[in-house]
Amino acid sequence: MKTKFSETLIQVREAKGLKQYQFAKVLGCEPSYLSALERGNKEPPKSEKLNLMIEKMEITEEIALTLREAAEFQLSTIKVPHDTDEAVREMCVVLRKRLPNISRSYAKIITQLLLIAEESKM
């Protein structure tokens, strides 16, 4: 399934006029790995590897930021800082358990509540 990360990666490669195998060589990875990234079948690389790839891509900071944000969004692990309030940690545990069964509409409601809470801090 295509993702924002995979779509951006394809756009970068195509803007450079490169085939997958050529772009993989530039990035220092296997063509099969690049293909899996472009199809959305592999998670984006972690930040250190992603930064090395971005450096080799020779792209604008704006496109680099788009790739970093898309990678962060797509990565499935969310780390809760150790000093997080106990009530917030409990909410995260419950949310993690219920994720497979949360409908799209409930997800939108939860997102809106969190955004409202963030706005009220400002």
Side-chain angles (χ1 to χ4, degrees):
M1 177 174 80
K2 296 275 179 157
T3 64
K4 175 77 172 164
F5 179 83
S6 64
E7 289 173 355
T8 305
L9 196 59
I10 292 167
Q11 289 170 358
V12 169
R13 178 176 58 77
E14 289 177 346
K16 293 185 172 296
L18 298 175
K19 303 276 187 202
Q20 275 187 342
Y21 75 91
Q22 295 169 316
F23 197 43
K25 191 173 187 174
V26 168
L27 298 178
C29 67
E30 292 295 321
S32 58
Y33 176 69
L34 177 60
S35 175
L37 285 175
E38 288 189 358
R39 289 190 321 270
N41 293 343
K42 282 235 181 246
E43 286 190 345
K46 304 287 189 247
S47 63
E48 187 175 317
K49 185 173 182 178
L50 179 59
N51 287 335
L52 288 172
M53 292 173 77
I54 286 172
E55 191 175 303
K56 293 175 183 180
M57 287 180 203
E58 298 179 355
I59 55 178
T60 66
E61 191 55 43
E62 182 181 350
I63 295 172
L65 180 62
T66 300
L67 274 173
R68 285 186 185 102
E69 288 175 347
E72 184 178 333
F73 179 81
Q74 188 177 334
L75 290 172
S76 59
T77 302
I78 298 173
K79 295 183 180 178
V80 180
H82 294 290
D83 60 348
T84 301
D85 182 81
E86 187 178 335
V88 175
R89 291 179 78 69
E90 183 179 349
M91 176 198 66
C92 292
V93 169
V94 171
L95 185 58
R96 183 180 63 212
K97 288 178 183 175
R98 303 256 174 122
L99 274 177
N101 301 316
I102 292 177
S103 69
R104 183 176 180 84
S105 58
Y106 278 147
K108 287 182 176 185
I109 291 168
I110 293 167
T111 301
Q112 288 302 313
L113 286 171
L114 292 171
L115 291 172
I116 290 168
E118 186 65 30
E119 288 175 7
S120 69
K121 289 182 181 179
M122 295 179 177

